[in-house]
Each structure stands twice: as C-alpha cells, then as structure tokens.
Amino acid sequence: MPQGQPESVPADGLTTRQRRNRPLVIVHTGAMKGKSTAAFGLAMRGWHQGWSIAVFQFVKSARWRVGEEAAMLALGRVHEQTGEGGPVQWHKMGAGWSWSRRSGTEADHAADARDGWLEIKRRLAAGEHDLYVLDEFTYPMKWGWVDVDDVVTTLRDRPGHQHVVITGRDADLRLVDAADLVTEMTKIKHPMDAGQKGQRGIEW
C-alpha cells in the first residue's frame, strides 16, 4: 500500500467511507516478540479516539504485571476523571475472571478459557466495546480449549462496529483466513541469542 493507497478497489458497492470504516479482525502471530506490544499500542490509539477498550489476557499468570496494563488502566482513570479518551477494562484469566472466579489450578485452565470466551461472545453480541484485545488467545484454540469454528463464526457475525485483535503464536489457518489484517512477527535477531534475559521496560 504505497502512501496509504489500496492496490485495488473491489466492486462491492460500498463507498470509500463505508469501506474505510469497516470493523476489522486483526491477528498478530509468529514466533517473535512484539505481538502483544503492537496490540496494546493499537489499544492506545483507540483510547485516544474515545473507544471503549476491553483487554482479555489468556494464559499469562495473574502475577505477571506488564507495563501496558498499568498504562492502560491509568488511561482508564483519566477517562473517568476528565472524560478524555475512552473507558478501559483489563481482565486476566490467571486472576480468575471477575465474573467467574475459580481456584486457578492447572485443571481449571481449560474451563477458565471457555468462560472467558463465553463472556467475550456475550459482549460482542451486545456490542459493549469498540476494541477487544484477546491477548494470547491463539493458545486456547490451539490446545482445543476453545472451538476455532465457533470463534470464526462469532467474529464474522458480530454486530455493529467492533474491532477485535487476537495475539499469539501458531494462529489457526481458519482464523487467519477469516481475519482482515494478519501480521506475522518473524525473528531476525534477539538479545536472547547472545544469552541476554528479558529486561525492564523492554519485556515488561
């Protein structure tokens, strides 16, 4: 897309404005770091537009505190206090979903993932948010905890103007085919190659 211009214009009967403002399904996949970082950067853009943002973190430990979480929740407080930007919610599976708390044992993880997906489906049907970040959601699909075909059908049939971003390695090809925008993070170099562990401000 040189200079932001599409390479072709489909004969779909839509105006330029209608086509430009279609709600998107976005997938960030691949083996390299940066998938979640890119999704949270997009969430910050959405907040600036006044969108309602909902983040659902699958797989990550409840004790894992990422900088983006603190920043986005701070932006949510700015919205509450000043009206600037949009509202922000952040939910972690490892913490026990706020609407369905569980003990958090290994045996509960699959059920927790399904509970999270059912809540997301409910919110999509109700049109509750403008942007959903489903962080590391490819893994519950890969492990068979959440049905891929159900995800694809739900996203295809969602009402209104709701963007959905899904992150994680090994995105199912059915999800890739259904998405509007897919980015694969490919490693060229990484500090770990030289024996360096993650550091503050870069990894969290």
Side-chain angles (χ1 to χ4, degrees):
M1 289 175 52
Q3 298 182 353
Q5 297 299 319
E7 295 178 355
S8 63
V9 177
D12 53 14
L14 299 177
T15 66
T16 299
R17 180 182 294 274
Q18 288 172 324
R19 195 178 302 111
R20 180 179 193 175
N21 292 319
R22 287 188 305 120
L24 302 178
V25 172
I26 301 170
V27 175
H28 296 168
T29 192
M32 186 55 167
K33 75 185 302 294
K35 298 179 287 294
S36 297
T37 302
F40 298 145
L42 187 63
M44 293 182 71
R45 286 183 177 176
W47 177 88
H48 177 68
Q49 296 297 327
W51 293 355
S52 171
I53 310 295
V55 178
F56 299 84
Q57 276 195 300
F58 291 80
V59 180
K60 279 192 174 77
S61 167
R63 296 184 298 273
W64 183 250
R65 308 293 294 185
V66 295
E68 294 97 337
E69 177 185 0
M72 289 301 302
L73 291 177
L75 290 175
R77 290 192 294 273
V78 168
H79 172 73
E80 292 172 0
Q81 295 164 8
T82 71
E84 184 178 0
V88 176
Q89 294 185 18
W90 194 293
H91 304 285
K92 289 185 178 182
M93 188 178 83
W97 301 118
S98 60
W99 56 87
S100 178
R101 295 212 176 268
R102 261 180 223 279
S103 60
T105 65
E106 286 291 330
D108 292 327
H109 287 176
D112 284 339
R114 286 191 291 271
D115 284 345
W117 170 237
L118 288 174
E119 178 64 14
I120 292 162
K121 285 183 67 174
R122 186 194 69 76
R123 294 185 186 209
L124 285 167
E128 289 195 12
H129 305 287
D130 301 296
L131 175 64
Y132 301 73
V133 177
L134 311 187
D135 189 36
E136 297 195 329
F137 188 49
T138 61
Y139 300 110
M141 286 185 273
K142 178 181 179 180
W143 298 332
W145 296 352
V146 173
D147 183 72
V148 179
D149 290 327
D150 183 39
V151 172
V152 169
T153 299
T154 300
L155 295 179
R156 182 194 65 206
D157 297 340
R158 70 194 188 284
H161 193 272
Q162 302 179 91
H163 299 291
V164 180
V165 186
I166 296 173
T167 76
R169 298 185 181 202
D170 304 320
D172 191 282
L173 289 179
R174 287 167 289 179
L175 177 65
V176 170
D177 288 342
D180 303 288
L181 192 164
V182 180
T183 298
E184 182 175 9
M185 307 293 186
T186 302
K187 191 184 84 166
I188 306 300
K189 293 177 69 175
H190 194 290
M192 289 183 68
D193 300 336
Q196 181 175 327
K197 290 186 176 181
Q199 60 177 294
R200 294 177 183 273
I202 303 297
E203 271 72 36
W204 71 90

